[in-house]
Amino acid sequence: MLNEFASPYGDCEQHLPYAFLQALFCRATASDDHYYSTSLAVTERTVSFASTRRLALKFQEAAPWSTFGHVATNDALLQTLDGEPALHIVDVSNTFCTQWPTLLEVLASRADADAPRVRLTVVSSTAAGVVAEIGARIEKFAWLMGVPLEFRAIAAPTLPRLIDALRPKKLELREGEVVAVNCVGALHRAGCEDSRDSFLRAAAVLRPRVLTVVEDEADFGAASEFMESFEECLWFYGSYFEMLEKASRRCATSGLLWRGSASGASSDCWRARAAQTQ
């Protein structure tokens, strides 16, 4: 019955059941890893830098919490790292580096000190071609601002690779640089309970001067019981899809992209939950 009602192209009340039916089917059939790897392969072939940039900018217009998170974390980074000559920012996020131009502008505008050397390591599950284009553009922007920037991307689509990406040897930490770990949606990607603890322990090993965390909703990953976590996730994504529907016309390209991204995120949540409870 729900299959007849659910649709990836309909409104909030149709798309939400579609996303959760996909996730629950993957959980029931233990096909979550296959589904996730297939989704990544399709994304690699179909997603371009232009579509990704357009999606990110439109989403920031519709949802102010991402912009607020960027402003708050940049302020925390600037206060903590003030006066340091060498910075290494480990960015665990899928926000396409939209946070960093503002930070680079502030670093370049400080008249009381030379701009510090910045290493930006992005740990992301975004398509490799998109990340490469983003890296080239952010390096060019930093050069125009007069800030020495070294960009590096590490692909981490799954939790084991996410934890492995945070190993000091993998990050090639250098003597004299101050480390900051910036997590935007990282707890969501890490999964639930023990998985989150493993992720946070891996971050703590880096001995960062500051660890910033931005989450639009984290409760659905923290609950110990499946139904409690399911209900939290259902409530959050119900509100999420409703917001996206109001922000875009039905079946508009941006609306479909937003809802598709959210659908994948909800499936990821239950993929992580299933892996933990098996």
CSV table of all heavy atoms in Angstrom, one decimal, residues 73 77 81 87-95 97 99-100 103 118-124 149-154 156 161-168 170-174 177-184 186 189 199 202-213:
chain,number,residue,atom,x,y,z
A,73,THR,N,31.0,28.7,13.4
A,73,THR,CA,32.3,27.9,13.5
A,73,THR,C,33.5,28.8,13.0
A,73,THR,O,34.6,28.7,13.6
A,73,THR,CB,32.2,26.7,12.6
A,73,THR,OG1,31.8,27.0,11.3
A,73,THR,CG2,31.2,25.7,13.2
A,77,LEU,N,36.8,29.4,15.2
A,77,LEU,CA,38.2,29.2,14.6
A,77,LEU,C,39.1,30.4,14.7
A,77,LEU,O,40.2,30.3,15.1
A,77,LEU,CB,38.0,28.7,13.2
A,77,LEU,CG,37.4,27.3,13.0
A,77,LEU,CD1,37.2,27.1,11.5
A,77,LEU,CD2,38.3,26.2,13.5
A,81,LEU,N,42.4,30.3,16.9
A,81,LEU,CA,43.7,30.2,16.1
A,81,LEU,C,44.3,31.6,15.9
A,81,LEU,O,45.3,31.7,15.1
A,81,LEU,CB,43.4,29.6,14.8
A,81,LEU,CG,42.7,28.2,14.9
A,81,LEU,CD1,42.4,27.7,13.5
A,81,LEU,CD2,43.5,27.2,15.7
A,87,LEU,N,48.3,27.0,10.1
A,87,LEU,CA,47.0,26.3,10.5
A,87,LEU,C,46.8,25.1,9.6
A,87,LEU,O,47.0,25.1,8.4
A,87,LEU,CB,45.8,27.3,10.4
A,87,LEU,CG,46.0,28.7,10.9
A,87,LEU,CD1,44.7,29.5,10.6
A,87,LEU,CD2,46.3,28.6,12.4
A,88,HIS,N,46.2,24.1,10.2
A,88,HIS,CA,45.8,22.9,9.5
A,88,HIS,C,44.3,22.6,9.8
A,88,HIS,O,44.1,22.2,11.0
A,88,HIS,CB,46.7,21.7,9.8
A,88,HIS,CG,46.3,20.5,8.9
A,88,HIS,ND1,47.1,19.3,8.9
A,88,HIS,CD2,45.4,20.3,7.9
A,88,HIS,CE1,46.5,18.5,8.0
A,88,HIS,NE2,45.5,19.1,7.4
A,89,ILE,N,43.4,22.9,8.9
A,89,ILE,CA,42.0,22.7,9.2
A,89,ILE,C,41.6,21.4,8.5
A,89,ILE,O,41.7,21.3,7.3
A,89,ILE,CB,41.2,23.9,8.6
A,89,ILE,CG1,41.6,25.2,9.3
A,89,ILE,CG2,39.7,23.7,8.8
A,89,ILE,CD1,40.9,26.5,8.7
A,90,VAL,N,41.1,20.5,9.4
A,90,VAL,CA,40.5,19.3,8.9
A,90,VAL,C,39.0,19.4,8.8
A,90,VAL,O,38.3,19.5,9.8
A,90,VAL,CB,40.9,18.1,9.8
A,90,VAL,CG1,40.4,16.8,9.2
A,90,VAL,CG2,42.4,18.0,10.0
A,91,ASP,N,38.5,19.5,7.6
A,91,ASP,CA,37.1,19.8,7.3
A,91,ASP,C,36.3,18.5,7.0
A,91,ASP,O,36.4,18.0,5.9
A,91,ASP,CB,37.0,20.8,6.2
A,91,ASP,CG,35.5,21.2,5.9
A,91,ASP,OD1,34.7,21.1,6.8
A,91,ASP,OD2,35.2,21.6,4.8
A,92,VAL,N,35.6,18.0,8.0
A,92,VAL,CA,34.9,16.7,7.9
A,92,VAL,C,33.4,17.2,7.5
A,92,VAL,O,32.6,17.4,8.4
A,92,VAL,CB,34.9,15.9,9.1
A,92,VAL,CG1,34.2,14.5,8.8
A,92,VAL,CG2,36.3,15.7,9.6
A,93,SER,N,33.1,17.3,6.3
A,93,SER,CA,31.8,17.8,5.8
A,93,SER,C,31.6,17.5,4.4
A,93,SER,O,32.5,17.1,3.6
A,93,SER,CB,31.7,19.3,6.1
A,93,SER,OG,32.5,20.0,5.1
A,94,ASN,N,30.3,17.7,4.0
A,94,ASN,CA,30.0,17.7,2.6
A,94,ASN,C,29.3,19.0,2.1
A,94,ASN,O,28.4,19.0,1.4
A,94,ASN,CB,29.0,16.5,2.3
A,94,ASN,CG,29.6,15.1,2.3
A,94,ASN,OD1,30.8,15.0,1.8
A,94,ASN,ND2,29.0,14.1,2.8
A,95,THR,N,29.9,20.1,2.6
A,95,THR,CA,29.3,21.4,2.3
A,95,THR,C,30.0,22.1,1.1
A,95,THR,O,29.8,23.3,0.9
A,95,THR,CB,29.4,22.3,3.5
A,95,THR,OG1,30.7,22.4,4.0
A,95,THR,CG2,28.5,21.7,4.6
A,97,CYS,N,32.9,23.2,0.6
A,97,CYS,CA,33.9,24.3,0.9
A,97,CYS,C,33.2,25.7,0.9
A,97,CYS,O,33.9,26.7,0.8
A,97,CYS,CB,35.1,24.3,0.0
A,97,CYS,SG,36.2,22.9,0.3
A,99,GLN,N,32.0,27.3,3.2
A,99,GLN,CA,32.3,27.9,4.5
A,99,GLN,C,33.6,28.8,4.4
A,99,GLN,O,33.7,29.8,5.1
A,99,GLN,CB,32.5,26.9,5.6
A,99,GLN,CG,32.9,27.4,6.9
A,99,GLN,CD,33.0,26.3,8.0
A,99,GLN,OE1,32.5,25.2,7.8
A,99,GLN,NE2,33.6,26.7,9.1
A,100,TRP,N,34.6,28.4,3.6
A,100,TRP,CA,35.9,28.9,3.7
A,100,TRP,C,36.3,30.2,3.0
A,100,TRP,O,37.2,30.9,3.5
A,100,TRP,CB,36.9,27.8,3.3
A,100,TRP,CG,36.7,26.5,4.0
A,100,TRP,CD1,36.3,25.3,3.5
A,100,TRP,CD2,36.7,26.4,5.5
A,100,TRP,NE1,36.2,24.4,4.5
A,100,TRP,CE2,36.4,25.0,5.7
A,100,TRP,CE3,37.0,27.3,6.5
A,100,TRP,CZ2,36.3,24.6,7.0
A,100,TRP,CZ3,36.9,26.8,7.8
A,100,TRP,CH2,36.6,25.4,8.1
A,103,LEU,N,36.2,32.9,5.7
A,103,LEU,CA,37.3,32.8,6.6
A,103,LEU,C,38.6,33.3,6.0
A,103,LEU,O,39.4,34.0,6.7
A,103,LEU,CB,37.5,31.3,7.1
A,103,LEU,CG,38.6,31.1,8.1
A,103,LEU,CD1,38.2,31.6,9.4
A,103,LEU,CD2,38.9,29.6,8.2
A,118,VAL,N,47.9,28.2,5.5
A,118,VAL,CA,46.7,27.4,5.8
A,118,VAL,C,46.8,26.1,5.0
A,118,VAL,O,47.0,26.1,3.8
A,118,VAL,CB,45.4,28.1,5.5
A,118,VAL,CG1,44.2,27.3,5.8
A,118,VAL,CG2,45.4,29.4,6.3
A,119,ARG,N,46.6,25.0,5.7
A,119,ARG,CA,46.4,23.7,5.0
A,119,ARG,C,44.9,23.3,5.3
A,119,ARG,O,44.5,23.3,6.4
A,119,ARG,CB,47.3,22.6,5.6
A,119,ARG,CG,48.8,22.8,5.2
A,119,ARG,CD,49.6,21.7,5.8
A,119,ARG,NE,49.3,20.4,5.2
A,119,ARG,CZ,49.4,19.2,5.9
A,119,ARG,NH1,49.9,19.2,7.1
A,119,ARG,NH2,49.1,18.1,5.3
A,120,LEU,N,44.2,23.0,4.2
A,120,LEU,CA,42.8,22.7,4.3
A,120,LEU,C,42.7,21.2,3.7
A,120,LEU,O,42.9,21.0,2.6
A,120,LEU,CB,41.9,23.6,3.5
A,120,LEU,CG,40.4,23.3,3.4
A,120,LEU,CD1,39.8,23.3,4.8
A,120,LEU,CD2,39.7,24.3,2.5
A,121,THR,N,42.4,20.3,4.6
A,121,THR,CA,42.1,18.9,4.3
A,121,THR,C,40.6,18.6,4.4
A,121,THR,O,40.1,18.7,5.5
A,121,THR,CB,42.9,18.0,5.2
A,121,THR,OG1,44.3,18.3,5.1
A,121,THR,CG2,42.7,16.5,4.7
A,122,VAL,N,40.0,18.3,3.3
A,122,VAL,CA,38.6,18.1,3.2
A,122,VAL,C,38.3,16.6,3.2
A,122,VAL,O,38.8,15.9,2.3
A,122,VAL,CB,37.9,18.7,2.0
A,122,VAL,CG1,36.4,18.4,2.0
A,122,VAL,CG2,38.1,20.3,2.1
A,123,VAL,N,37.7,16.1,4.2
A,123,VAL,CA,37.3,14.6,4.3
A,123,VAL,C,35.8,14.6,3.9
A,123,VAL,O,34.9,15.0,4.7
A,123,VAL,CB,37.5,14.1,5.7
A,123,VAL,CG1,37.2,12.6,5.8
A,123,VAL,CG2,39.0,14.3,6.2
A,124,SER,N,35.6,14.0,2.7
A,124,SER,CA,34.2,14.2,2.1
A,124,SER,C,33.8,12.9,1.4
A,124,SER,O,34.7,12.1,0.9
A,124,SER,CB,34.2,15.4,1.2
A,124,SER,OG,33.0,15.5,0.5
A,149,LEU,N,47.6,28.9,0.7
A,149,LEU,CA,46.7,27.8,1.0
A,149,LEU,C,47.1,26.5,0.3
A,149,LEU,O,47.4,26.6,-0.9
A,149,LEU,CB,45.3,28.2,0.6
A,149,LEU,CG,44.2,27.0,0.7
A,149,LEU,CD1,43.9,26.8,2.2
A,149,LEU,CD2,42.9,27.4,0.0
A,150,GLU,N,47.1,25.4,1.0
A,150,GLU,CA,47.4,24.1,0.4
A,150,GLU,C,46.1,23.3,0.6
A,150,GLU,O,45.7,23.0,1.8
A,150,GLU,CB,48.6,23.5,1.1
A,150,GLU,CG,48.9,22.1,0.6
A,150,GLU,CD,50.1,21.5,1.3
A,150,GLU,OE1,50.9,22.3,2.0
A,150,GLU,OE2,50.3,20.2,1.3
A,151,PHE,N,45.5,22.8,-0.5
A,151,PHE,CA,44.3,22.1,-0.4
A,151,PHE,C,44.5,20.6,-0.7
A,151,PHE,O,45.3,20.2,-1.6
A,151,PHE,CB,43.3,22.6,-1.5
A,151,PHE,CG,42.0,21.9,-1.5
A,151,PHE,CD1,40.9,22.3,-0.7
A,151,PHE,CD2,41.8,20.8,-2.3
A,151,PHE,CE1,39.7,21.7,-0.7
A,151,PHE,CE2,40.6,20.2,-2.4
A,151,PHE,CZ,39.5,20.6,-1.6
A,152,ARG,N,43.8,19.8,0.1
A,152,ARG,CA,43.9,18.3,-0.1
A,152,ARG,C,42.5,17.7,0.2
A,152,ARG,O,41.9,18.2,1.1
A,152,ARG,CB,45.0,17.7,0.8
A,152,ARG,CG,45.2,16.2,0.6
A,152,ARG,CD,46.2,15.7,1.5
A,152,ARG,NE,46.3,14.2,1.4
A,152,ARG,CZ,46.6,13.4,2.4
A,152,ARG,NH1,46.8,14.0,3.6
A,152,ARG,NH2,46.7,12.2,2.3
A,153,ALA,N,42.1,16.8,-0.6
A,153,ALA,CA,40.9,16.1,-0.4
A,153,ALA,C,41.1,14.6,-0.1
A,153,ALA,O,42.0,14.0,-0.7
A,153,ALA,CB,40.0,16.2,-1.6
A,154,ILE,N,40.4,14.0,0.8
A,154,ILE,CA,40.4,12.6,1.2
A,154,ILE,C,39.0,12.1,1.1
A,154,ILE,O,38.1,12.6,1.7
A,154,ILE,CB,41.0,12.4,2.6
A,154,ILE,CG1,42.4,12.9,2.7
A,154,ILE,CG2,41.0,10.9,2.9
A,154,ILE,CD1,43.0,12.8,4.1
A,156,ALA,N,36.0,9.7,1.8
A,156,ALA,CA,35.6,8.9,2.9
A,156,ALA,C,34.1,8.6,2.9
A,156,ALA,O,33.4,9.2,3.7
A,156,ALA,CB,36.0,9.5,4.3
A,161,ARG,N,36.4,4.3,6.5
A,161,ARG,CA,37.3,5.2,5.8
A,161,ARG,C,37.3,6.5,6.4
A,161,ARG,O,38.3,7.3,6.3
A,161,ARG,CB,36.8,5.2,4.3
A,161,ARG,CG,37.0,3.9,3.5
A,161,ARG,CD,36.7,4.0,2.1
A,161,ARG,NE,37.6,4.9,1.4
A,161,ARG,CZ,37.5,5.2,0.1
A,161,ARG,NH1,36.6,4.7,-0.6
A,161,ARG,NH2,38.4,6.0,-0.5
A,162,LEU,N,36.2,6.9,7.0
A,162,LEU,CA,36.1,8.2,7.7
A,162,LEU,C,37.1,8.2,8.9
A,162,LEU,O,37.8,9.2,9.1
A,162,LEU,CB,34.7,8.5,8.2
A,162,LEU,CG,34.4,9.8,8.9
A,162,LEU,CD1,34.8,11.0,8.0
A,162,LEU,CD2,33.0,9.9,9.4
A,163,ILE,N,37.1,7.2,9.6
A,163,ILE,CA,38.0,7.1,10.8
A,163,ILE,C,39.4,6.9,10.3
A,163,ILE,O,40.4,7.6,10.9
A,163,ILE,CB,37.6,5.9,11.7
A,163,ILE,CG1,36.2,6.1,12.3
A,163,ILE,CG2,38.7,5.6,12.7
A,163,ILE,CD1,35.7,5.0,13.1
A,164,ASP,N,39.7,6.2,9.3
A,164,ASP,CA,41.0,6.0,8.7
A,164,ASP,C,41.5,7.3,8.2
A,164,ASP,O,42.7,7.6,8.3
A,164,ASP,CB,41.0,5.0,7.6
A,164,ASP,CG,42.4,4.8,7.0
A,164,ASP,OD1,43.2,4.2,7.7
A,164,ASP,OD2,42.6,5.1,5.8
A,165,ALA,N,40.7,8.2,7.6
A,165,ALA,CA,41.1,9.5,7.1
A,165,ALA,C,41.6,10.4,8.2
A,165,ALA,O,42.3,11.4,7.9
A,165,ALA,CB,39.9,10.1,6.3
A,166,LEU,N,41.2,10.2,9.4
A,166,LEU,CA,41.5,11.0,10.6
A,166,LEU,C,42.8,10.6,11.3
A,166,LEU,O,43.2,11.2,12.3
A,166,LEU,CB,40.4,11.1,11.6
A,166,LEU,CG,39.1,11.8,11.1
A,166,LEU,CD1,38.1,11.8,12.2
A,166,LEU,CD2,39.4,13.2,10.6
A,167,ARG,N,43.5,9.6,10.8
A,167,ARG,CA,44.7,9.1,11.4
A,167,ARG,C,45.8,10.2,11.1
A,167,ARG,O,45.9,10.7,10.0
A,167,ARG,CB,45.1,7.8,10.8
A,167,ARG,CG,44.1,6.7,11.1
A,167,ARG,CD,44.6,5.3,10.7
A,167,ARG,NE,43.5,4.3,10.8
A,167,ARG,CZ,43.1,3.8,11.9
A,167,ARG,NH1,43.7,4.1,13.1
A,167,ARG,NH2,42.1,2.9,11.9
A,168,PRO,N,46.6,10.5,12.1
A,168,PRO,CA,47.7,11.5,11.9
A,168,PRO,C,48.6,11.2,10.7
A,168,PRO,O,48.9,12.2,10.0
A,168,PRO,CB,48.5,11.4,13.2
A,168,PRO,CG,47.5,10.9,14.2
A,168,PRO,CD,46.6,9.9,13.5
A,170,LYS,N,47.8,9.7,8.0
A,170,LYS,CA,47.0,9.9,6.7
A,170,LYS,C,46.9,11.4,6.5
A,170,LYS,O,46.9,11.8,5.3
A,170,LYS,CB,45.6,9.3,6.9
A,170,LYS,CG,44.7,9.4,5.7
A,170,LYS,CD,45.0,8.2,4.8
A,170,LYS,CE,44.0,8.1,3.6
A,170,LYS,NZ,44.2,7.0,2.7
A,171,LEU,N,46.8,12.2,7.5
A,171,LEU,CA,46.6,13.7,7.4
A,171,LEU,C,48.0,14.3,7.2
A,171,LEU,O,48.0,15.5,6.9
A,171,LEU,CB,45.9,14.2,8.6
A,171,LEU,CG,44.5,13.8,8.7
A,171,LEU,CD1,43.9,14.3,10.1
A,171,LEU,CD2,43.6,14.4,7.6
A,172,GLU,N,49.1,13.6,7.4
A,172,GLU,CA,50.4,14.1,7.2
A,172,GLU,C,50.6,15.4,8.0
A,172,GLU,O,51.0,16.5,7.5
A,172,GLU,CB,50.7,14.4,5.7
A,172,GLU,CG,50.6,13.2,4.8
A,172,GLU,CD,50.7,13.5,3.3
A,172,GLU,OE1,50.9,14.7,3.0
A,172,GLU,OE2,50.7,12.6,2.5
A,173,LEU,N,50.3,15.3,9.3
A,173,LEU,CA,50.5,16.4,10.2
A,173,LEU,C,51.9,16.8,10.3
A,173,LEU,O,52.8,16.0,10.3
A,173,LEU,CB,50.0,16.0,11.6
A,173,LEU,CG,48.5,15.6,11.7
A,173,LEU,CD1,48.2,15.3,13.2
A,173,LEU,CD2,47.6,16.7,11.2
A,174,ARG,N,52.1,18.1,10.4
A,174,ARG,CA,53.5,18.7,10.3
A,174,ARG,C,53.8,19.4,11.7
A,174,ARG,O,52.9,20.0,12.3
A,174,ARG,CB,53.6,19.7,9.2
A,174,ARG,CG,53.4,19.0,7.8
A,174,ARG,CD,53.4,20.1,6.7
A,174,ARG,NE,53.0,19.5,5.4
A,174,ARG,CZ,52.7,20.2,4.3
A,174,ARG,NH1,52.7,21.5,4.4
A,174,ARG,NH2,52.4,19.6,3.2
A,177,GLU,N,52.4,23.3,13.1
A,177,GLU,CA,51.1,23.7,12.7
A,177,GLU,C,50.0,23.4,13.7
A,177,GLU,O,50.1,22.4,14.4
A,177,GLU,CB,50.7,23.0,11.3
A,177,GLU,CG,50.5,21.6,11.4
A,177,GLU,CD,50.1,21.0,10.0
A,177,GLU,OE1,50.3,21.7,9.0
A,177,GLU,OE2,49.7,19.8,10.0
A,178,VAL,N,49.1,24.3,13.9
A,178,VAL,CA,48.0,24.1,14.8
A,178,VAL,C,46.8,23.5,14.1
A,178,VAL,O,46.4,23.9,13.0
A,178,VAL,CB,47.6,25.5,15.4
A,178,VAL,CG1,46.4,25.3,16.3
A,178,VAL,CG2,48.7,26.1,16.1
A,179,VAL,N,46.3,22.4,14.7
A,179,VAL,CA,45.2,21.6,14.1
A,179,VAL,C,43.9,22.1,14.6
A,179,VAL,O,43.7,22.3,15.8
A,179,VAL,CB,45.4,20.1,14.3
A,179,VAL,CG1,44.3,19.3,13.7
A,179,VAL,CG2,46.8,19.7,13.7
A,180,ALA,N,42.9,22.2,13.7
A,180,ALA,CA,41.5,22.4,14.0
A,180,ALA,C,40.7,21.5,13.2
A,180,ALA,O,40.9,21.2,12.0
A,180,ALA,CB,41.1,23.9,13.7
A,181,VAL,N,39.7,20.8,13.9
A,181,VAL,CA,38.8,19.9,13.2
A,181,VAL,C,37.4,20.5,13.2
A,181,VAL,O,36.9,20.9,14.2
A,181,VAL,CB,38.8,18.5,14.0
A,181,VAL,CG1,37.8,17.6,13.3
A,181,VAL,CG2,40.2,17.9,14.1
A,182,ASN,N,36.9,20.6,12.0
A,182,ASN,CA,35.6,21.2,11.7
A,182,ASN,C,34.6,20.1,11.2
A,182,ASN,O,34.9,19.5,10.2
A,182,ASN,CB,35.7,22.3,10.7
A,182,ASN,CG,34.4,23.0,10.4
A,182,ASN,OD1,33.9,23.7,11.2
A,182,ASN,ND2,33.9,22.9,9.1
A,183,CYS,N,33.6,19.9,12.0
A,183,CYS,CA,32.7,18.8,11.7
A,183,CYS,C,31.3,19.4,11.4
A,183,CYS,O,30.6,19.9,12.3
A,183,CYS,CB,32.5,17.8,12.9
A,183,CYS,SG,34.1,17.1,13.4
A,184,VAL,N,30.9,19.3,10.1
A,184,VAL,CA,29.5,19.8,9.7
A,184,VAL,C,28.8,18.6,9.2
A,184,VAL,O,29.0,18.0,8.2
A,184,VAL,CB,29.6,20.8,8.6
A,184,VAL,CG1,28.2,21.3,8.3
A,184,VAL,CG2,30.5,22.0,9.1
A,186,ALA,N,29.0,15.7,10.5
A,186,ALA,CA,29.9,14.5,10.6
A,186,ALA,C,29.3,13.5,11.6
A,186,ALA,O,29.5,12.3,11.3
A,186,ALA,CB,31.3,15.0,11.1
A,189,ARG,N,27.0,11.4,9.6
A,189,ARG,CA,27.7,10.5,8.8
A,189,ARG,C,28.3,9.3,9.6
A,189,ARG,O,28.4,8.2,9.1
A,189,ARG,CB,28.8,11.2,8.0
A,189,ARG,CG,28.3,12.1,6.9
A,189,ARG,CD,29.4,12.9,6.3
A,189,ARG,NE,30.5,12.1,5.8
A,189,ARG,CZ,31.7,12.5,5.5
A,189,ARG,NH1,32.0,13.8,5.7
A,189,ARG,NH2,32.6,11.7,4.9
A,199,PHE,N,34.4,7.7,16.0
A,199,PHE,CA,34.8,8.9,15.3
A,199,PHE,C,35.4,10.0,16.1
A,199,PHE,O,36.4,10.6,15.8
A,199,PHE,CB,33.5,9.4,14.5
A,199,PHE,CG,33.7,10.7,13.9
A,199,PHE,CD1,34.4,10.9,12.8
A,199,PHE,CD2,33.1,11.8,14.5
A,199,PHE,CE1,34.6,12.2,12.3
A,199,PHE,CE2,33.2,13.1,14.0
A,199,PHE,CZ,34.0,13.3,12.9
A,202,ALA,N,38.8,9.2,17.3
A,202,ALA,CA,39.8,9.4,16.2
A,202,ALA,C,40.1,10.9,16.0
A,202,ALA,O,41.3,11.3,15.8
A,202,ALA,CB,39.2,8.9,14.9
A,203,ALA,N,39.1,11.8,16.2
A,203,ALA,CA,39.4,13.2,16.1
A,203,ALA,C,40.2,13.7,17.3
A,203,ALA,O,41.1,14.5,17.1
A,203,ALA,CB,38.0,13.9,16.1
A,204,ALA,N,40.0,13.1,18.5
A,204,ALA,CA,40.7,13.5,19.7
A,204,ALA,C,42.2,13.1,19.6
A,204,ALA,O,43.1,13.8,20.1
A,204,ALA,CB,40.1,12.9,20.9
A,205,VAL,N,42.5,12.1,18.9
A,205,VAL,CA,43.9,11.6,18.7
A,205,VAL,C,44.7,12.7,18.0
A,205,VAL,O,46.0,12.9,18.2
A,205,VAL,CB,44.0,10.3,17.9
A,205,VAL,CG1,45.4,10.0,17.5
A,205,VAL,CG2,43.4,9.2,18.8
A,206,LEU,N,44.1,13.5,17.2
A,206,LEU,CA,44.8,14.6,16.5
A,206,LEU,C,45.2,15.8,17.4
A,206,LEU,O,45.9,16.6,17.0
A,206,LEU,CB,43.9,15.2,15.3
A,206,LEU,CG,43.4,14.1,14.3
A,206,LEU,CD1,42.5,14.8,13.3
A,206,LEU,CD2,44.6,13.5,13.6
A,207,ARG,N,44.7,15.7,18.6
A,207,ARG,CA,44.9,16.8,19.6
A,207,ARG,C,44.7,18.2,19.0
A,207,ARG,O,45.5,19.1,19.0
A,207,ARG,CB,46.4,16.7,20.1
A,207,ARG,CG,46.7,15.4,20.8
A,207,ARG,CD,48.2,15.3,21.2
A,207,ARG,NE,48.4,16.3,22.3
A,207,ARG,CZ,48.2,16.0,23.6
A,207,ARG,NH1,47.7,14.9,24.0
A,207,ARG,NH2,48.4,17.0,24.5
A,208,PRO,N,43.5,18.4,18.5
A,208,PRO,CA,43.2,19.7,17.9
A,208,PRO,C,43.1,20.8,18.9
A,208,PRO,O,42.6,20.6,20.0
A,208,PRO,CB,41.8,19.4,17.2
A,208,PRO,CG,41.2,18.4,18.0
A,208,PRO,CD,42.3,17.5,18.5
A,209,ARG,N,43.5,22.0,18.5
A,209,ARG,CA,43.3,23.2,19.4
A,209,ARG,C,41.8,23.5,19.6
A,209,ARG,O,41.4,24.0,20.6
A,209,ARG,CB,44.0,24.4,18.7
A,209,ARG,CG,43.9,25.7,19.5
A,209,ARG,CD,44.8,25.7,20.8
A,209,ARG,NE,46.2,25.5,20.4
A,209,ARG,CZ,47.0,26.5,20.0
A,209,ARG,NH1,46.5,27.8,20.0
A,209,ARG,NH2,48.2,26.3,19.8
A,210,VAL,N,41.0,23.2,18.5
A,210,VAL,CA,39.6,23.4,18.6
A,210,VAL,C,38.9,22.4,17.8
A,210,VAL,O,39.4,22.0,16.7
A,210,VAL,CB,39.2,24.9,18.2
A,210,VAL,CG1,39.6,25.1,16.7
A,210,VAL,CG2,37.7,25.1,18.3
A,211,LEU,N,37.7,21.9,18.3
A,211,LEU,CA,36.8,21.0,17.5
A,211,LEU,C,35.5,21.7,17.4
A,211,LEU,O,34.8,21.9,18.4
A,211,LEU,CB,36.7,19.7,18.2
A,211,LEU,CG,35.7,18.7,17.7
A,211,LEU,CD1,36.0,18.2,16.3
A,211,LEU,CD2,35.5,17.5,18.7
A,212,THR,N,35.0,22.0,16.2
A,212,THR,CA,33.7,22.6,16.0
A,212,THR,C,32.8,21.6,15.4
A,212,THR,O,33.1,20.8,14.6
A,212,THR,CB,33.8,23.8,15.1
A,212,THR,OG1,34.4,23.4,13.8
A,212,THR,CG2,34.7,24.9,15.7
A,213,VAL,N,31.5,21.6,15.9
A,213,VAL,CA,30.5,20.7,15.5
A,213,VAL,C,29.2,21.4,15.1
A,213,VAL,O,28.8,22.3,15.9
A,213,VAL,CB,30.2,19.7,16.7
A,213,VAL,CG1,29.1,18.7,16.2
A,213,VAL,CG2,31.4,18.9,17.0
